[in-house]
Amino acid sequence: MKSPSVVGILGGMGPAAGADFARLFVQACAAHLQALGLPVSDQSFPEHWLAQVPVPDRTAALDAPHAGRAGAHQPLDPMLQALGRLAALGATTVAVACNTAHAWHGLLQQRFPQIEVLHVAHEVAHDLRAQGVREVGLLATAGTYRAGLYDGVLRDAGIACHLPTEAERERLMHGIYHGVKVNDLALARDCFEPVARALAERHGLSTLILGCTEIPLALPAVPGHPRLRCVDPAWVLARALARRAYAGFREERPMLAA
Amino acid sequence: MKSPSVVGILGGMGPAAGADFARLFVQACAAHLQALGLPVSDQSFPEHWLAQVPVPDRTAALDAPHAGRAGAHQPLDPMLQALGRLAALGATTVAVACNTAHAWHGLLQQRFPQIEVLHVAHEVAHDLRAQGVREVGLLATAGTYRAGLYDGVLRDAGIACHLPTEAERERLMHGIYHGVKVNDLALARDCFEPVARALAERHGLSTLILGCTEIPLALPAVPGHPRLRCVDPAWVLARALARRAYAGFREERPMLAA
């Protein structure tokens, strides 16, 4: 049986989200194998490497004077170094475990044409469109809003995207930086929950994208809103990475069945 | 400020336990920084790499005819390959996220004298002795029992170690292989809980070592036994790895304070 492909996870942004992405990827692989009726064992998982490297703050770099110029190289350099190492380890596909870092996706992909760097917003838009979703709210970092990471991609997929107010965005940032990133999940939840509720109620939404890997760590769902679906882009991305890892593996199935 | 050292995690045995070890390591780093009164941010974590590589079953290899001969090279080869890659990535210390795999600890450490390969049982024995614990029960895989990974180390530390009966050990193996490793945590819990309870009650124990990385994933504590302390060796090992990563970093503190 042909082995699954080696894949990589570019993490450290923050490290808790990176470790959680590894967990989601393992879960996505198990689900993939089970859906194909294949046995799950330690040896049936793809070789994968999680790089947790210190990367300067992404939102701060996007906020720097002449964004895309002066500050923007700061997160890019360590991401390129880690990506090069993942490529050297044999990774054919890499997922970046940070939504905001996707502001540098184009440059990462351009420098490493030999590997596929997944784009989280493309994967989310693709999934939502397949499910017939037409309207969503987006909770994210200031950097993700500023870079417009989801807006255009969702629009191209025919999905309207509603954003929080400026004050609500500041509250989200507070919960991410003073909550999840310093391991105070209660404070984070107190920041995220009212914003999620207000955004959903203001536009009558049934779907929210939790577009920062740190948000679902504190708020996987909105209490009291059982019908409000919270999409975790990390889970969507983890499933996409699992599909890539098993792509060659899957092709072999007809021969095995024959 | 001097950066913390690069460290590595040798995982994939199983992959869920490896990903969970990365989570514990991130948590241990945050706790370490907080205990030193240092700020916690994405950039204050050590660079670390998680290698999740397919490794043949450890217990099966230890069970093979002429154990330590015929089957024993099977897990060793991929572990050595991954360890070499972690060394090439700059790791100075590596933790192996699998108790049973420590049967090959001596060979791994011997082949890579330039890095420190932590030994989980040594770290656990050291911690328990410091806390004045004199008697424990050990839940583990058949391979860990067979290799005597904990027994001698605990004995040297003056700690008596009680083991489950043969039938109880089989039940643990069932929970690990047909529960945690295939993502059926309810089945795993049904296997682990009665064994933990019986072992603790038989010997009047107040401390159990959950000596397989998969066990705490399903049974972090024994319900109805609030005073029975369950030691997760992965957490002990994660804290040891965090201390190594910050060892040079910590030495710099007096200069910073001056």
Side-chain angles (χ1 to χ4, degrees):
Chain A
M1 191 186 287
K2 200 183 147 203
S3 297
S5 306
V6 179
V7 298
I9 302 164
L10 180 49
M13 304 174 277
D20 197 59
F21 191 88
R23 179 185 69 82
L24 291 173
F25 174 67
V26 169
Q27 206 176 313
C29 288
H32 187 91
L33 290 167
Q34 280 160 344
L36 293 176
L38 295 171
V40 179
S41 71
D42 289 3
Q43 295 76 33
S44 55
F45 286 80
E47 177 177 328
H48 56 285
W49 291 74
L50 167 65
Q52 299 256 73
V53 295
V55 175
D57 191 80
R58 284 69 63 198
T59 288
L62 292 170
D63 206 18
H66 318 292
R69 313 269 176 282
H73 70 92
Q74 297 167 356
L76 182 62
D77 289 345
M79 283 197 278
L80 283 173
Q81 275 204 20
L83 199 53
R85 288 165 171 204
L86 289 170
L89 289 164
T92 54
T93 308
V94 169
V96 181
C98 170
N99 284 267
T100 314
H102 282 76
W104 290 271
H105 175 274
L107 289 167
L108 294 174
Q109 182 62 84
Q110 191 186 329
R111 301 275 191 95
F112 289 93
Q114 75 274 37
I115 59 181
E116 182 188 14
V117 183
L118 297 178
H119 192 299
V120 65
H122 286 230
E123 299 297 334
V124 169
H126 181 269
D127 253 36
L128 291 176
R129 184 163 64 174
Q131 293 157 20
V133 173
R134 305 298 300 270
E135 208 172 6
V136 298
L138 175 67
L139 304 189
T141 62
T144 290
Y145 291 127
R146 197 164 305 120
L149 285 183
Y150 279 88
D151 321 33
V153 176
L154 288 169
R155 200 185 316 117
D156 291 348
I159 300 166
C161 179
H162 300 283
L163 308 182
T165 65
E166 198 53 52
E168 287 169 343
R169 296 183 194 190
E170 279 171 25
R171 197 152 182 196
L172 292 176
M173 287 299 274
H174 191 80
I176 294 166
Y177 283 80
H178 300 276
V180 181
K181 285 191 192 290
V182 301
N183 209 19
D184 185 347
L185 294 187
L187 182 144
R189 201 158 21 233
D190 287 349
C191 292
F192 301 155
E193 196 183 315
V195 177
R197 183 168 284 134
L199 182 63
E201 290 173 359
R202 194 152 62 232
H203 301 284
L205 300 172
S206 57
T207 306
L208 286 184
I209 297 176
L210 307 184
C212 167
T213 45
E214 323 263 13
I215 295 177
L217 297 181
L219 188 82
V222 181
H225 278 258
R227 289 201 186 151
L228 179 59
R229 181 173 158 230
C230 290
V231 176
D232 180 359
W235 174 236
V236 176
L237 190 62
R239 284 192 294 125
L241 188 63
R243 281 195 303 273
R244 298 304 195 287
Y246 286 111
F249 193 68
R250 199 171 44 190
E251 279 163 19
E252 303 269 315
R253 285 193 77 227
M255 289 172 60
L256 289 170
Chain B
M1 191 185 288
K2 200 185 150 204
S3 296
S5 307
V6 179
V7 298
I9 301 164
L10 179 49
M13 305 173 275
D20 197 60
F21 191 88
R23 179 185 70 82
L24 291 173
F25 175 67
V26 169
Q27 206 176 312
C29 288
H32 187 92
L33 289 167
Q34 281 162 343
L36 294 176
L38 295 171
V40 178
S41 72
D42 288 4
Q43 295 76 34
S44 55
F45 286 80
E47 177 178 327
H48 56 284
W49 292 76
L50 167 65
Q52 299 254 77
V53 294
V55 175
D57 191 79
R58 284 69 61 199
T59 289
L62 291 170
D63 207 17
H66 317 294
R69 313 267 176 283
H73 70 92
Q74 297 167 355
L76 183 62
D77 289 346
M79 283 198 277
L80 282 172
Q81 274 204 20
L83 198 54
R85 288 164 171 206
L86 289 170
L89 290 163
T92 55
T93 308
V94 169
V96 180
C98 170
N99 284 268
T100 315
H102 282 76
W104 291 269
H105 175 273
L107 289 167
L108 294 173
Q109 181 61 85
Q110 190 187 330
R111 300 276 190 97
F112 288 94
Q114 76 274 35
I115 59 180
E116 183 188 13
V117 183
L118 297 178
H119 192 299
V120 66
H122 286 232
E123 300 297 334
V124 169
H126 181 268
D127 253 36
L128 291 176
R129 184 162 66 173
Q131 293 158 21
V133 173
R134 305 296 300 270
E135 209 173 5
V136 298
L138 175 67
L139 304 188
T141 61
T144 290
Y145 292 127
R146 197 164 304 122
L149 285 184
Y150 279 89
D151 320 33
V153 177
L154 288 169
R155 199 185 315 116
D156 291 348
I159 300 165
C161 179
H162 299 283
L163 308 182
T165 64
E166 198 52 52
E168 287 168 344
R169 295 182 194 190
E170 278 171 25
R171 196 151 183 197
L172 292 177
M173 288 299 276
H174 191 79
I176 294 166
Y177 283 80
H178 300 277
V180 181
K181 285 192 192 289
V182 300
N183 209 19
D184 185 347
L185 295 187
L187 182 145
R189 204 160 17 235
D190 287 347
C191 292
F192 301 156
E193 198 182 314
V195 177
R197 181 169 285 132
L199 182 63
E201 290 174 358
R202 195 152 59 230
H203 303 282
L205 301 172
S206 57
T207 307
L208 285 184
I209 298 175
L210 307 183
C212 167
T213 45
E214 324 263 13
I215 296 176
L217 296 180
L219 188 83
V222 181
H225 278 259
R227 289 202 186 150
L228 179 60
R229 183 174 159 230
C230 290
V231 176
D232 179 359
W235 174 236
V236 176
L237 190 62
R239 285 192 295 125
L241 188 63
R243 282 196 302 274
R244 300 301 196 288
Y246 286 113
F249 193 68
R250 197 171 46 189
E251 280 162 20
E252 302 269 314
R253 285 193 79 227
M255 290 173 59
L256 289 170

